[in-house]
Amino acid sequence: MMTQATEAKETGLYLEAYEQLRQRTASEVPSWLDRLRAEALEKFSELGFPAPTLEEWRYTNVAPIAKARFVPSWTIDGAEETGRRWEDRVYEEARSSVLVFVNGRFRSDLSSLAALPREAVVLGLADALRSEHQKMIGERLARGAAFDRQHFAALNTAFIADGAFVYLPRGVRVEAPIQLLFISDSGPVMSFPRVLVIAERESEATLIERYVGAADQPYFTDAVVEIYVDENAHLEHYKVQEEGAASFHVATTWVELKRAARYHSTTVTLGAQLARHNIAAILTEEGGECRVDGLYMVDTGQHADTHSLIEHRAPRCTSFQLYKGILDGRSRGVFNGRIYVHREAQQTDAYQTNRNLMLSNEARVDTKPQLEIFADDVKCSHGATVGQLEEEELFYLRTRGLSFEKARNLLTYGFAEEVVEKIAVDSIREQLNEVILNRLHATALDVR
Amino acid sequence: MLEIRNLHATIDDQEILRGIDLKVSAGEVHAIMGPNGSGKSTLAKVLAGHPAYEVTEGEIIYEGKNLLEMDPDERAREGVFMAFQYPVEVPGVSNAQLLRLAYNEKRKHQGLEELDPLEFKELLAERAKLVDMDLSFMSRSVNEGFSGGEKKRNEILQMAVLEPKLAILDETDSGLDIDALRIVADGVNKLRRPDNAIILVTHYQRILNYIIPDYVHVLYRGRIVRSGGKELALELEEKGYDWIKSEAGVTASA
Ligand SMILES: Nc1ncnc2c1ncn2[C@@H]1O[C@H](COP(=O)(O)OP(=O)(O)OP(=O)(O)O)[C@@H](O)[C@H]1O
Ligand SMILES: [Mg+2]
């Protein structure tokens, strides 16, 4: 009885917020979206927040999110100065191809799309819902991210109001990386960014999601990103999560790959006190290729959880997955990687590795690779390691004149390099090298 | 430059060095030979400051300072360099990065300007010539996937960049082919100056034809049991270690 009462109270905040949102926007949004949100809310009130007794949530307790009293983003007007304050978080390469969001709302005044070709459609989601693309959005939105089973996807879906819409018609190639900059900087705000990417046949682009926010506010981001990569299309995707240290970040990424499509992603997790990322890549037609990499780097007071699913539904697809974790202080990491190979998916080539570097005795990581294979002609491998810095390597570097701290940072840099070197956007790579070499123990190293 | 007095060292409570005395002056080359397991690498690592070894007795004076009180990196910045018998692989860190960092640490220590990547590249290209090393090795991870001989050559490249005052070369000649041996030895000779010194650990007389030692010492069971000029190496080559072992046995039991 007790627990039921608490649960009711915990979802109560969201029921109220939903009513508010609905009153504000019901007349503005298409009726299908109104229905979708209602359905998702119903799901969420049924599911509630995930309990730690659920296998998928065994190591990550979201009670602090459930208990907190966040303020809905639509009740706050993100001031222009707020956006300006975070302007330096726009990557150099994306100066003229950036969408800025303050507390979940698209801000055209802070955004710049000058570098994008006319044929590419890049819009704030609320604007897109009022545009000619509304029908296409209706056909694809919430088709992938399963809000019927996933608590946070349901919650996000119930609150779809704004985010980004990226549509690359057939054959369109975008040179400049498209950056989505999400800023949360107005107290204990909760925001629900929603992103829909449709990359039609033979199109090509790079997408960067970057999440930043106030260091001292316990705010909450619940993001859902759905990506369709059609035949022979190619998408490079980066997610850089550097939310404020007191914040909560939950994100769901869902990707569908068609025939011979290519999707490469690198997820970088640096911020938030509690972060959970669910990423699923579904290979639905022959010859698709995906690379899903990640780097999480956490210190005292941080918990970072990645759950990935690579689903091979068609023959002759390849998937590579490399996740590396650097855990310092009293931090906690969770990696759960699942590869699912359907019976039809013959000649699958699937590879997954998770490596963790423990810089402190008080850090802890739980890693669990899972292979479920129902085809007989496949090449699959997976592995996980948890280790410390090698004493002999440390000594070697010290005999070359590097202090203990510098030697340690350099080895940590070397550990991360396997993930970092594959990043094709220079600014992101440089940012990470700097974070790794300087954030750790405050000893600057210049490794150019 | 270096004076080792009655040095005793243990690892995991096992005494390996049992009273070593050795004096090395600027400009000299000392060869240290001796059977497997006699403690040659142990001596080299104690000089470099390996934390696993404990010095239980004796002292090491380097340039008038107590070497044993210095951290390994401090020793390096003060000019002590050890070429490892088994060079360590450092994944993800390129040879050029490590070399530049190490070089700049030393420059800073000497109160000199650091070199930026471009300036350093020039210096590196010039030093790499000294050991005839292809520049393609510079962008590769330190020692990762290098052949045995390439690793040894890379150690001498580091030496060429860091220009130590005291270089301890632990079996740098092992694993080098005949041509590489000559190249590496030539490189080391070019780095010799009146104000630096070399301790060269080796099993083979051959390298001593190129790098001519002023002294040859035989280490056996943690002690220097015999010292002589370069002819001692020839004698060992001819006769092996048995006569030394039995002599040392006699002295020990006497
Ligand atoms: N951790 C340890 N515990 C006990 N004994 C050790 C340990 N490490 C090394 N030793 C021993 O110390 C002795 C000296 O080793 P060292 O490597 O110094 O020999 P070396 O003279 O360099 O031999 P080589 O010519 O084969 O290179 C050896 O007998 C070795 O087995
Ligand atoms: Mg040895």
Side-chain angles (χ1 to χ4, degrees):
Chain A
M1 285 311 274
M2 222 9 240
T3 49
Q4 278 211 341
T6 359
E7 264 172 33
K9 201 173 96 231
E10 283 163 356
T11 52
L13 167 76
Y14 297 90
L15 300 182
E16 262 171 53
Y18 171 80
E19 283 310 325
Q20 261 181 30
L21 176 69
R22 193 151 184 258
Q23 274 165 24
R24 285 172 153 250
T25 60
S27 59
E28 293 168 25
V29 301
S31 56
W32 61 260
L33 180 56
D34 194 37
R35 280 197 304 277
L36 177 66
R37 295 198 300 206
E39 206 186 320
L41 183 84
E42 204 177 304
K43 260 298 153 199
F44 176 71
S45 39
E46 199 180 299
L47 292 167
F49 284 98
T53 48
L54 292 171
E55 184 58 31
E56 289 285 284
W57 294 90
R58 235 177 99 185
Y59 300 113
T60 298
N61 184 358
V62 298
I65 298 179
K67 289 205 187 80
R69 306 290 299 171
F70 300 112
V71 181
S73 57
W74 49 89
T75 62
I76 304 166
D77 269 328
E80 194 186 322
E81 312 86 91
T82 316
R84 300 263 173 242
R85 227 184 0 259
W86 294 91
E87 232 169 20
D88 63 333
R89 303 304 178 94
V90 176
Y91 291 112
E92 196 53 46
E93 293 85 342
R95 283 262 164 244
S96 302
S97 50
V98 62
L99 272 67
V100 177
F101 302 83
V102 178
N103 303 328
R105 300 298 280 187
F106 172 57
R107 294 291 299 249
S108 61
D109 54 336
L110 301 168
S111 303
S112 166
L113 299 169
L116 299 177
R118 212 183 307 269
E119 309 82 59
V121 178
V122 180
L123 295 167
L125 186 63
D127 296 335
L129 284 166
R130 287 189 291 263
S131 75
E132 70 213 88
H133 304 290
Q134 191 244 109
K135 187 163 167 281
M136 174 190 269
I137 296 171
E139 282 162 7
R140 306 261 192 152
L141 197 68
R143 221 195 68 202
F147 67 86
D148 57 333
R149 294 187 304 274
Q150 296 184 16
H151 313 69
F152 288 95
L155 188 60
N156 173 288
T157 304
F159 290 108
I160 291 177
D162 211 347
F165 175 61
V166 177
Y167 167 50
L168 307 168
R170 183 173 177 172
V172 170
R173 293 186 181 176
V174 182
E175 281 289 321
I178 302 163
Q179 181 179 345
L180 313 177
L181 177 61
F182 297 98
I183 303 163
S184 294
D185 190 3
S186 305
V189 62
M190 59 178 175
S191 61
F192 303 94
R194 184 76 177 209
V195 178
L196 177 64
V197 178
I198 300 170
E200 280 188 353
R201 296 178 59 165
E202 280 119 37
S203 66
E204 265 182 47
T206 298
L207 179 76
I208 305 169
E209 293 169 67
R210 192 177 190 182
Y211 296 85
V212 300
D216 50 350
Q217 293 294 339
Y219 65 88
F220 173 37
T221 306
D222 177 16
V224 173
V225 177
E226 290 168 294
I227 297 173
Y228 295 85
V229 192
D230 290 350
E231 199 174 321
N232 280 309
H234 179 186
L235 188 76
E236 294 283 319
H237 183 194
Y238 301 95
K239 173 175 185 257
V240 183
Q241 189 271 93
E242 33 182 332
E243 304 261 35
S247 71
F248 302 90
H249 177 96
V250 181
T252 305
T253 306
W254 179 90
V255 188
E256 181 190 76
L257 287 88
K258 289 281 176 62
R259 187 174 309 272
R262 269 187 298 161
Y263 170 76
H264 296 163
S265 81
T266 305
T267 299
V268 179
T269 302
L270 302 172
Q273 63 160 299
L274 194 163
R276 164 73 175 241
H277 187 211
N278 286 349
I279 180 164
I282 322 294
L283 297 137
T284 59
E285 290 182 2
E286 251 188 273
E289 183 230 289
C290 70
R291 180 161 59 68
V292 177
D293 290 349
L295 178 70
Y296 45 95
M297 207 170 124
V298 283
D299 206 335
T300 299
Q302 288 187 283
H303 179 115
D305 176 345
T306 299
H307 270 61
S308 76
L309 165 68
I310 311 289
E311 202 177 319
H312 285 260
R313 286 196 193 153
R316 284 173 288 283
C317 291
T318 50
S319 66
F320 302 91
Q321 208 182 351
L322 175 65
Y323 263 77
K324 286 200 163 185
I326 300 167
L327 296 99
D328 202 353
R330 289 171 60 91
S331 64
R332 180 88 188 264
V334 180
F335 179 82
N336 188 297
R338 205 168 138 222
I339 300 174
Y340 193 104
V341 182
H342 289 252
R343 200 199 324 258
E344 304 74 39
Q346 296 297 358
Q347 290 168 43
T348 284
D349 197 346
Y351 169 93
Q352 180 195 85
T353 316
N354 171 232
R355 292 194 197 291
N356 296 281
L357 175 62
M358 314 305 280
L359 294 177
S360 131
N361 294 328
E362 294 176 302
R364 178 176 161 182
V365 69
D366 291 283
T367 171
K368 185 170 147 200
Q370 281 173 279
L371 274 180
E372 288 163 79
I373 303 174
F374 297 96
D376 45 29
D377 178 17
V378 300
K379 230 166 62 191
C380 290
S381 73
H382 68 165
T385 60
V386 179
Q388 280 143 10
L389 290 177
E390 294 288 336
E391 288 296 334
E392 288 306 309
E393 291 175 22
L394 268 173
F395 176 62
Y396 188 66
L397 296 184
R398 294 190 73 189
T399 63
R400 289 346 183 207
L402 271 60
S403 67
F404 174 79
E405 285 77 17
K406 289 188 181 183
R408 180 175 136 136
N409 286 5
L410 189 61
L411 290 178
T412 307
Y413 162 90
F415 173 81
E417 194 52 16
E418 202 180 348
V419 174
V420 177
E421 71 180 1
K422 290 195 206 123
I423 295 175
V425 179
D426 291 349
S427 303
I428 302 181
R429 220 176 38 246
E430 282 158 22
Q431 176 201 3
L432 288 182
N433 284 339
E434 205 175 299
V435 166
I436 294 164
L437 292 167
N438 299 347
R439 174 171 117 163
L440 285 167
H441 329 296
T443 308
L445 264 188
D446 166 12
V447 292
R448 288 173 294 164
Chain B
M1 170 173 291
L2 181 77
E3 191 167 354
I4 303 173
R5 289 191 207 118
N6 189 32
L7 183 70
H8 290 250
T10 61
I11 183 163
D12 296 339
D13 296 325
Q14 188 93 13
E15 187 167 57
I16 312 291
L17 301 183
R18 303 186 301 151
I20 293 202
D21 292 283
L22 181 68
K23 216 174 142 174
V24 178
S25 302
E28 292 176 351
V29 174
H30 289 245
I32 295 182
M33 305 181 79
N36 294 131
S38 57
K40 303 180 297 295
S41 294
T42 304
L43 175 62
K45 286 192 236 174
V46 168
L47 286 169
H50 196 293
Y53 297 89
E54 192 190 339
V55 173
T56 49
E57 233 186 294
E59 56 182 355
I60 306 177
I61 307 298
Y62 169 72
E63 302 261 88
K65 279 176 255 176
N66 181 353
L67 191 74
L68 295 173
E69 273 182 357
M70 293 156 75
D71 282 339
D73 45 300
E74 228 178 312
R75 298 180 195 198
R77 293 191 296 267
E78 287 285 342
V80 177
F81 177 87
M82 168 172 74
F84 282 54
Q85 181 176 2
Y86 304 106
V88 178
E89 299 186 0
V90 190
V93 176
S94 81
N95 230 0
Q97 280 172 334
L98 173 59
L99 285 163
R100 195 170 74 88
L101 282 169
Y103 183 75
N104 278 339
E105 285 303 314
K106 198 175 164 201
R107 297 269 298 182
K108 262 187 282 180
H109 184 67
Q110 295 170 334
L112 299 168
E113 282 280 308
E114 294 181 44
L115 295 195
D116 69 28
L118 262 147
E119 293 168 319
F120 184 72
K121 208 174 163 188
E122 260 174 57
L123 178 118
L124 187 55
E126 173 219 315
R127 300 295 156 91
K129 263 190 235 145
L130 218 59
V131 285
D132 195 25
M133 219 166 145
D134 197 275
L135 287 175
S136 64
F137 283 97
M138 303 313 148
S139 51
R140 285 173 60 180
S141 287
V142 178
N143 293 326
E144 203 179 35
F146 286 25
S147 75
E150 287 164 354
K151 285 182 184 170
K152 295 304 181 70
R153 204 185 281 218
N154 201 32
E155 294 289 286
I156 301 308
L157 171 65
Q158 295 178 357
M159 174 181 167
V161 167
L162 296 174
E163 297 183 289
K165 282 190 208 144
L166 175 67
I168 304 138
L169 311 183
D170 191 358
E171 291 198 30
T172 301
D173 55 337
S174 307
L176 288 176
D177 69 46
I178 300 158
D179 293 335
L181 180 71
R182 208 187 49 245
I183 292 161
V184 165
D186 281 350
V188 171
N189 279 330
K190 280 183 203 139
L191 295 167
R192 283 184 68 178
R193 286 203 316 251
D195 62 345
N196 62 23
I198 296 169
I199 297 175
L200 199 140
V201 175
T202 182
H203 284 296
Y204 308 106
Q205 198 274 329
R206 204 174 51 218
I207 191 167
L208 304 178
N209 289 335
Y210 298 106
I211 307 173
I212 312 221
D214 300 292
Y215 301 93
V216 175
H217 310 277
V218 179
L219 193 66
Y220 179 56
R221 291 192 176 163
R223 286 199 189 101
I224 290 178
V225 293
R226 202 178 182 95
S227 296
K230 60 175 189 283
E231 61 296 334
L232 177 57
L234 285 165
E235 200 178 346
L236 291 170
E237 181 94 350
E238 201 178 300
K239 299 204 267 185
Y241 287 116
D242 277 355
W243 60 287
I244 291 210
K245 286 182 186 172
S246 56
E247 258 180 38
V250 170
T251 339
S253 56

